[in-house]
Amino acid sequence: MATVIRLARYGAKKRPYYHIVVTDSRNARNSGNVLEVVGKYDPMLARDNEKRVVLNIDQVKAWIAKGAKPSDRVYKFLAKAGLVAAKPAPVQTKKHLQSEKTQMKIKDKADKLAKIAEEKAAAEAAAKAAAEAPAETTADETVAE
């Protein structure tokens, strides 16, 4: 028998409440034909509320040892509780990035701005050096006279 640990929905309309159950994978979600209820999940509570997910850890460990596979949502609950290792985040596609042509334009613009800033800094340094140089020569000329 292929057993799974999954959510079974209870509660009223627009007020969901779930039992975390161990059942045969071939059974319907709310068939009532469950082997054991191992926890509760109330999505209406705040994320930091300790009563949002309540697990009977000993029973969950026992069922996992027997080969029960948790659903994706239950796996996240178990990972948060420290019973299983968290799944790695999937690698995202690059669709959120700008096109290559736009990236080149942005890079060229940044290069131009950097070049202008360097030229401006060099011009200021030259002007500062030129301003200091005549002052020194005038001081030398006054000393020589």
Side-chain angles (χ1 to χ4, degrees):
M1 174 169 53
T3 56
V4 292
I5 304 172
R6 65 179 176 200
L7 299 174
R9 185 180 164 132
Y10 291 87
K13 180 179 178 182
K14 296 188 180 181
R15 300 280 306 166
Y17 186 82
Y18 297 91
H19 289 187
I20 302 170
V21 298
V22 178
T23 185
D24 186 358
S25 63
R26 296 169 290 191
N27 290 342
R29 181 187 71 182
N30 289 341
S31 67
N33 190 9
V34 299
L35 300 174
E36 190 169 9
V37 177
V38 294
K40 309 232 185 278
Y41 168 54
D42 188 358
M44 301 301 286
L45 296 176
R47 289 185 186 268
D48 58 350
N49 192 329
E50 61 202 30
K51 293 184 180 179
R52 183 176 169 101
V53 177
V54 178
L55 292 169
N56 188 332
I57 296 173
D58 295 333
Q59 290 176 341
V60 172
K61 285 181 182 178
W63 279 106
I64 289 176
K66 292 177 188 176
K69 302 281 186 210
S71 67
D72 290 339
R73 175 60 56 186
V74 173
Y75 193 93
K76 289 180 183 180
F77 297 153
L78 298 178
K80 190 172 181 182
L83 296 176
V84 294
K87 290 183 180 178
V91 176
Q92 298 295 320
T93 62
K94 296 184 180 180
K95 289 191 174 199
H96 68 284
L97 298 177
Q98 296 167 329
S99 69
E100 190 174 327
K101 186 175 181 180
T102 304
Q103 288 179 355
M104 293 285 283
K105 286 181 182 178
I106 292 170
K107 185 179 180 226
D108 290 342
K109 187 174 182 179
D111 290 343
K112 285 181 183 178
L113 290 175
K115 186 176 180 182
I116 291 170
E118 287 176 11
E119 290 173 355
K120 190 174 184 181
E124 287 177 4
K128 187 175 180 182
E132 290 177 2
E136 292 176 5
T137 56
T138 55
D140 292 336
E141 292 174 3
T142 55
V143 173
E145 291 177 4

